[in-house]
Amino acid sequence: MDGRDTEIGSRLRRLREARGISLSALARSAGIGKATLSGLELGTRNPTLETLYAVAGALGVPLTALVLEPGAPPAEAVHVPGAAVTATLLEVFEEPTATFELLRMRVRPGVVQHSPPHAPGVTEHVTVYAGVLRAGPADVPLLAAPGEHISWQADVPHIYCAVGPDEVLATLLIRSPRQTQ
């Protein structure tokens, strides 16, 4: 157990309880096991990026709501690896109607990362600096080479994978509209 996992777990529990959602209902909505969700809340399970995105989507919050204490600088965000993607939070921008998360992203070759749907209305915007990236909706992914930009509605299952033998270096901007309660 890691203190950072406990921090994620306590934020997750606070968000779930504030919305009046049971552990079972959130697990079902996120498509994960109840035991997995309970372990995340207790800090006894190591979260994966894919699992946290599934939970954040089911709660209708951006990922930073789980990995960063409100008002804390981005450098204090808990690092959570994914199957193919390593992302570093650079900045969070808050506007009255949306939250923007800017991340530096590396995508390892030879692995496909499957990302669950985000909350309704979330969009992702990627600019590639090195390598070739296939990303976007799982059923119709897009391709981007160095200097190119792609974007998509991320409220559907989507993927990330490096095409060829080279690692992809890119920035990812995630726009999450504010959810009204």
Side-chain angles (χ1 to χ4, degrees):
M1 185 164 80
D2 178 318
R4 296 174 307 157
D5 295 341
T6 304
E7 293 172 15
I8 289 173
S10 62
R11 285 187 204 105
L12 171 54
R13 175 174 273 154
R14 280 194 312 264
L15 287 165
R16 178 180 61 77
E17 290 175 347
R19 285 162 174 70
I21 302 171
S22 71
L23 195 69
S24 296
L26 181 56
R28 196 171 33 258
S29 178
I32 63 174
K34 183 178 174 183
T36 297
L37 184 58
S38 177
L40 290 175
E41 284 194 358
L42 294 171
T44 59
R45 275 227 145 117
N46 293 327
T48 64
L49 192 57
E50 295 86 348
T51 300
L52 289 183
Y53 270 127
V55 172
L59 287 170
V61 298
L63 181 67
T64 52
L66 298 175
V67 300
L68 185 64
E69 197 60 41
E76 291 182 15
V78 175
H79 173 73
V80 180
V85 174
T86 300
T88 303
L89 183 64
L90 300 174
E91 191 60 70
V92 178
F93 306 96
E94 300 283 345
E95 292 187 353
T97 60
T99 298
F100 297 84
E101 300 162 293
L102 179 64
L103 303 110
R104 179 177 45 241
M105 182 172 65
R106 294 177 174 273
V107 183
R108 291 177 294 287
V111 182
V112 176
Q113 180 157 325
H114 296 270
S115 187
H118 296 296
V122 172
T123 56
E124 293 195 12
H125 310 267
V126 177
T127 301
V128 175
Y129 298 99
V132 178
L133 178 70
R134 178 171 288 120
D139 56 348
V140 287
L142 306 165
L143 202 62
E148 295 180 337
H149 171 268
I150 55 176
S151 60
W152 63 90
Q153 287 293 130
D155 52 5
V156 298
H158 47 288
I159 64 163
Y160 299 91
C161 67
V163 176
D166 298 324
E167 179 179 67
V168 172
L169 303 176
T171 55
L172 168 63
L173 180 68
I174 302 173
R175 181 190 179 278
S176 301
R178 295 231 189 263
Q179 302 295 314
T180 54
Q181 301 293 342

